[in-house]
Amino acid sequence: MKISTIRLLAGGFCALFVFAIGVIIGGKNAEKNSEKISEKISEKNLTEFEKKLIVAENRSVIDQTFIAKCYHTGTHGAKKSYEDAFIWYTKAAEKGYAEAQCGLGDCYNYGIGVAQSDEEATKWYTRAAEKDHIGAQFRLGHIHKVTQHYEEAAKWYTKAIETEIINDYLWSRGGPLDLDL
């Protein structure tokens, strides 16, 4: 099964989950909203990006991050837009999703869709790094090295190596569990 198929199925599951929560909380209005979502997703002429966008608008942090990456790179049918990438990274990052937090750190670090800010970049990288996001750990190490905070740089580079070793071990046993959902 292709990764894109798995993502699409996961996206559909997320929409179903959102519907179930909505029914519990919101009753009949949620049922109507879910029917609209299902109708939109089932349309055959939608790109993968458009299908993910429908699910992402309904609060899936994984799909929100996927949409952010599509806008960032201009892939999967999305028109390249750094401002939209920043908006979608922010939505998922504020909900605590480490991959999005690292992406948001990149936005601030490089001025992608937002004014460049070392302070904000460090804040978002730290949030992701504390959840064992290897990329964020490495980026923090680099930031601290450049600013000549060598002990802090060594701490984050070491943490990135330790996280990679643990992930390699877990993959050798069948794969790590993504508990950051």
Side-chain angles (χ1 to χ4, degrees), residues 166-179:
I166 291 167
N167 283 343
D168 285 348
Y169 173 77
L170 291 173
W171 274 110
S172 73
R173 300 266 190 216
L177 297 174
D178 186 1
L179 300 178

Side-chain angles (χ1 to χ4, degrees), residues 104-120:
L104 189 56
D106 286 343
C107 289
Y108 281 111
N109 195 27
Y110 300 105
I112 299 170
V114 67
Q116 194 279 337
S117 170
D118 292 337
E119 184 177 314
E120 284 294 310

Side-chain angles (χ1 to χ4, degrees), residues 18-173:
V18 168
F19 164 71
I21 296 300
V23 168
I24 293 168
I25 296 171
K28 292 182 182 179
N29 289 335
E31 197 170 313
K32 289 178 187 175
N33 288 339
S34 177
E35 288 173 15
K36 289 178 186 176
I37 292 168
S38 296
E39 287 172 15
K40 288 181 182 179
I41 289 176
S42 66
E43 292 179 20
K44 294 181 182 178
N45 61 343
L46 295 178
T47 66
E48 179 183 6
F49 170 78
E50 291 167 327
K51 290 175 184 177
K52 291 284 190 181
L53 184 58
I54 292 167
V55 175
E57 288 172 342
N58 290 283
R59 300 183 188 97
S60 165
V61 293
I62 294 170
D63 290 320
Q64 288 172 344
T65 305
F66 176 83
I67 295 301
K69 289 178 181 183
C70 289
Y71 277 127
H72 187 164
T73 58
T75 55
H76 298 285
K79 185 176 178 183
K80 191 178 233 179
S81 169
Y82 294 142
E83 292 77 17
D84 287 331
F86 172 77
I87 289 166
W88 284 98
Y89 277 130
T90 301
K91 287 180 182 192
E94 288 177 344
K95 293 176 185 161
Y97 189 54
E99 182 71 16
Q101 290 172 330
C102 185
L104 189 56
D106 286 343
C107 289
Y108 281 111
N109 195 27
Y110 300 105
I112 299 170
V114 67
Q116 194 279 337
S117 170
D118 292 337
E119 184 177 314
E120 284 294 310
T122 301
K123 175 179 96 174
W124 288 104
Y125 285 149
T126 301
R127 288 182 182 182
E130 288 172 346
K131 294 177 180 157
D132 292 331
H133 189 282
I134 296 170
Q137 292 168 339
F138 180 80
R139 287 167 178 84
L140 274 176
H142 180 73
I143 286 171
H144 289 298
K145 180 183 88 173
V146 169
T147 57
Q148 299 182 353
H149 297 111
Y150 298 116
E151 286 184 28
E152 195 68 12
K155 169 187 154 185
W156 287 110
Y157 281 136
T158 302
K159 184 71 174 152
I161 292 167
E162 290 170 350
T163 302
E164 181 62 24
I165 290 169
I166 291 167
N167 283 343
D168 285 348
Y169 173 77
L170 291 173
W171 274 110
S172 73
R173 300 266 190 216

Side-chain angles (χ1 to χ4, degrees), residues 6-28:
I6 293 170
R7 284 185 177 150
L8 185 56
L9 291 173
F13 174 75
C14 289
L16 183 60
F17 178 74
V18 168
F19 164 71
I21 296 300
V23 168
I24 293 168
I25 296 171
K28 292 182 182 179

